[in-house]
Amino acid sequence: MTVKVLISDQMDPRAAAIFRERGIHVDEITGKTPDELAAIVGDYDGLAIRSSTKVTARILDAATNLKVVGRAGIGVDNIDIPAATARGVVVMNTPFGNSITTAEHAIALMFALARQLPEADASTQAGKWEKNRFMGVEVTGKTLGLIGAGNIGSIVASRALGLKMKVVAFDPFLTPERAVEMGVEKVELDQLLARADFITLHTPLTDQTRNILSAANIAKTKKGVRIINCARGGLIDEAALKDALDSGQVGGAALDVFESEPAKASPLFNTPNFVSTPHLGASTSEAQVNVAIQVAEQMSDYLLLGGVTNAMNMPSLSAEEAPRLKPYMALAEKLGSLVGQLAHGSIACLSIETEGAAAALNAKPITGAVLAGFMRVHSDTVNMVNAPVLAKERGLDVREVRHDREGDYHTLLRVSARTQAGERTVAGTLFGNSAPRLVELFGVKVEADLVGDMLYIVNEDRPGFIGRLGTLLGEANINIGTFHLGRIAGGDAILLLSVDEPVGPDVVAKVEALAGVKLVRPLKF
């Protein structure tokens, strides 16, 4: 039976050539409306796209034979991944094909700011010859602050070091050893803000990174700092950036990405010392060739051989292993997510231990699931396949420990994170060999389902606290699902409760203000 792939966006011809070389029938039909695409997509096993095609639930409903969607690029905002997963369609991207291109664009914008190149060009071409107006700065000897030190950030660091700059980096996953290897100094965010002459952002947009350069954080920067963002719109509070440019707190800013795109209007436009480009980070011939080749190779491997690379919604598993491992991976991802949400600060080592029945399983998919849950707190593109790669890039020491001993449970999975505050350990089991359940939280016996929105509280173990907490949440119209209590040595207690809706910052602040409360963390699973 012939395998068929549709390329629905303009793509380098080498993608189609690779499909044909592998014996796959390929059609290049671009520029179709959603209705037109829905009418033809049902004939294809694979759909290769860039950013123009929107793979909605409606398109997926029409794609009755579709097995894989391949995105030639990083972002998958134009794909309904939950709908694809529900229909058994694998979603792949190519996260590394445009890394060099994006890093070079960040460096180009840094030079544009340092020497006021766009304004100088416009003035000169207008016949003004304002030589004394444009007094730039050298980058040599200046300090570059990287917010995000993954694949792209590390390339920017290497280029900056070649320019004889000093580089400091903030990244929760960057270990001291990896920082030394990169030639950068690992710092906390406040240190970076205070020291950097230039700041570049290279982090995904998540709840933790949204507005990471807020008005408050911009106020902490060195006066006259220059800021470059080629990563994601929404990492910078654009209104606060406008105010900082006007006041001189920020000496220059260059954005390739905006919170709302296409950015047809912005308060930043026409602001002195502001440079903008229309999301050109990946726009080079080389990058487009790279991502086209990669998506064609990945999709061919999956359709012909069952190989899975850079999948957003599927682990690397054989057909025989999948049914048995599926509940374990669900447990592993929840435990990883719990550690990622609670173990704040620099994390040098992550240990994944299996005991009982779990010790007899293939550990790699379980480790991938733990890392996916752990790193998804900080990354919008991480999955069970690429999480180990991302962890390795950041120098995270990941250890797999298999115990032959018999414990209190027939099967047990334990995840431990070594942080500056000490070891943080959680453990879980499967009830009925299928239902994931937390059984230990930071050394305290606690049985709980990790599902939906939850609230984690550490408080002094005194009478009346639960009543006060319940009243506060009731007044906020937040319904409590379940309570899970445990006692810590030394007189403190932990409380893990499920709620019917997210607990916002205002309510968290009120809980923190209750007498005896030491720590409050909203959680989401």
Side-chain angles (χ1 to χ4, degrees):
M1 187 174 183
T2 302
V3 176
K4 299 176 67 177
V5 166
L6 171 64
I7 298 177
S8 62
D9 289 333
Q10 292 292 337
M11 201 172 293
D12 187 273
R14 271 173 260 197
I18 288 171
F19 284 125
R20 293 188 179 104
E21 288 168 5
R22 302 284 294 271
I24 294 173
H25 175 88
V26 59
D27 291 321
E28 298 176 85
I29 306 174
T30 62
K32 292 297 182 182
T33 66
D35 287 341
E36 291 170 335
L37 179 60
I40 63 174
V41 72
D43 293 334
Y44 296 94
D45 301 282
L47 177 62
I49 67 171
R50 287 182 60 195
S51 57
S52 296
T53 298
K54 311 301 179 188
V55 185
T56 62
R58 180 180 168 224
I59 296 298
L60 289 162
D61 283 339
T64 52
N65 293 316
L66 197 65
K67 301 174 180 64
V68 58
V69 176
R71 165 70 163 96
I74 297 177
V76 289
D77 295 344
N78 55 327
I79 304 172
D80 189 334
I81 294 178
T85 303
R87 290 159 179 78
V89 177
V90 177
V91 178
M92 298 176 173
N93 70 344
T94 57
F96 306 115
N98 53 19
S99 298
I100 291 176
T101 292
T102 303
E104 288 184 352
H105 195 63
I107 295 293
L109 289 178
M110 181 176 69
F111 274 116
L113 290 179
R115 302 305 296 268
Q116 298 175 274
L117 298 181
E119 292 171 287
D121 171 72
S123 170
T124 304
Q125 294 204 47
K128 296 181 180 180
W129 201 256
E130 298 175 293
K131 185 173 182 179
N132 294 329
R133 176 185 166 193
F134 301 108
M135 185 60 64
V137 297
E138 293 183 356
V139 299
T140 300
K142 300 297 191 300
T143 297
L144 173 65
L146 296 177
I147 297 179
N151 190 43
I152 295 174
S154 65
I155 296 171
V156 170
S158 70
R159 304 305 191 261
L161 291 169
L163 295 169
K164 307 303 181 184
M165 299 182 78
K166 300 174 183 176
V167 182
V168 297
F170 166 72
D171 187 320
F173 300 116
L174 180 65
T175 64
E177 293 78 13
R178 174 59 177 158
V180 170
E181 182 181 329
M182 289 172 58
V184 307
E185 180 184 351
K186 176 179 169 64
V187 296
E188 295 302 319
L189 181 59
D190 283 355
Q191 294 174 286
L192 182 149
L193 297 174
R195 292 173 55 185
D197 300 296
F198 294 84
I199 295 174
T200 61
L201 296 104
H202 307 286
T203 181
L205 180 64
T206 68
D207 290 341
Q208 285 68 36
T209 61
R210 186 178 300 278
N211 285 339
I212 192 169
L213 288 187
S214 60
N217 280 342
I218 290 174
K220 297 175 184 177
T221 60
K222 181 185 292 188
K223 187 174 178 62
V225 67
R226 291 168 172 84
I227 297 171
I228 301 102
N229 184 13
C230 293
R232 290 286 189 274
L235 296 175
I236 302 175
D237 183 331
E238 292 176 10
L241 179 60
K242 163 69 173 175
D243 291 341
L245 283 165
D246 289 341
S247 70
Q249 174 64 28
V250 172
L255 301 189
D256 185 48
V257 290
F258 293 82
E259 187 169 3
S260 178
E261 294 184 2
K264 297 294 183 66
S266 170
L268 289 162
F269 290 170
N270 299 314
T271 301
N273 300 318
F274 176 69
V275 178
S276 60
T277 51
H279 207 145
L280 298 180
S283 296
T284 64
S285 299
E286 293 89 346
Q288 296 311 308
V289 170
N290 289 340
V291 295
I293 291 173
Q294 288 179 21
V295 78
E297 290 178 343
Q298 290 176 192
M299 291 177 66
S300 297
D301 284 346
Y302 178 68
L303 290 169
L304 299 176
L305 304 173
V308 178
T309 306
N310 294 321
M312 306 302 296
N313 59 346
M314 181 180 176
S316 180
L317 291 174
S318 69
E320 294 77 18
E321 289 177 308
R324 188 180 179 193
L325 277 169
K326 186 175 180 180
Y328 282 95
M329 290 192 302
L331 171 64
E333 186 169 353
K334 288 177 182 292
L335 294 179
S337 177
L338 181 60
V339 170
Q341 293 180 76
L342 290 180
H344 289 261
S346 178
I347 298 173
C349 178
L350 200 67
S351 178
I352 300 149
E353 302 176 57
T354 53
E355 184 177 305
L361 300 173
N362 178 1
K364 292 302 179 185
I366 294 175
T367 297
V370 170
L371 290 173
F374 175 70
M375 302 185 75
R376 192 168 288 131
V377 178
H378 301 280
S379 174
D380 59 353
T381 60
V382 71
N383 58 76
M384 295 179 195
V385 176
N386 64 20
V389 176
L390 297 174
K392 185 177 181 180
E393 282 181 359
R394 287 158 173 79
L396 182 66
D397 182 12
V398 179
R399 301 179 181 180
E400 297 174 355
V401 181
R402 193 187 307 264
H403 296 289
D404 293 330
R405 68 192 180 209
E406 293 186 5
D408 295 334
Y409 298 91
H410 79 284
T411 188
L412 190 76
L413 177 62
R414 178 175 283 108
V415 179
S416 303
R418 187 191 306 157
T419 72
Q420 293 173 332
E423 195 90 354
R424 295 290 181 265
T425 300
V426 301
T429 189
L430 294 177
F431 278 20
N433 290 318
S434 61
R437 187 74 58 87
L438 177 72
V439 295
E440 181 184 318
L441 177 60
F442 296 172
V444 179
K445 299 294 183 183
V446 176
E447 286 197 7
D449 294 319
L450 299 176
V451 61
D453 293 288
M454 306 189 78
L455 197 62
Y456 171 77
I457 301 170
V458 178
N459 62 281
E460 296 175 359
D461 191 14
R462 295 180 181 177
F465 174 74
I466 293 176
R468 292 193 296 274
L469 176 64
T471 299
L472 188 157
L473 294 178
E475 291 173 348
N477 202 32
I478 294 176
N479 191 49
I480 299 172
T482 57
F483 271 92
H484 310 281
L485 299 168
R487 182 173 294 177
I488 305 173
D492 288 340
I494 62 171
L495 172 61
L496 189 64
L497 63 153
S498 64
V499 291
D500 289 351
E501 54 274 315
V503 181
D506 293 344
V507 177
V508 170
K510 291 178 181 178
V511 176
E512 289 173 333
L514 290 175
V517 170
K518 297 186 175 182
L519 179 66
V520 181
R521 290 279 188 272
L523 307 173
K524 191 171 186 66
F525 298 94

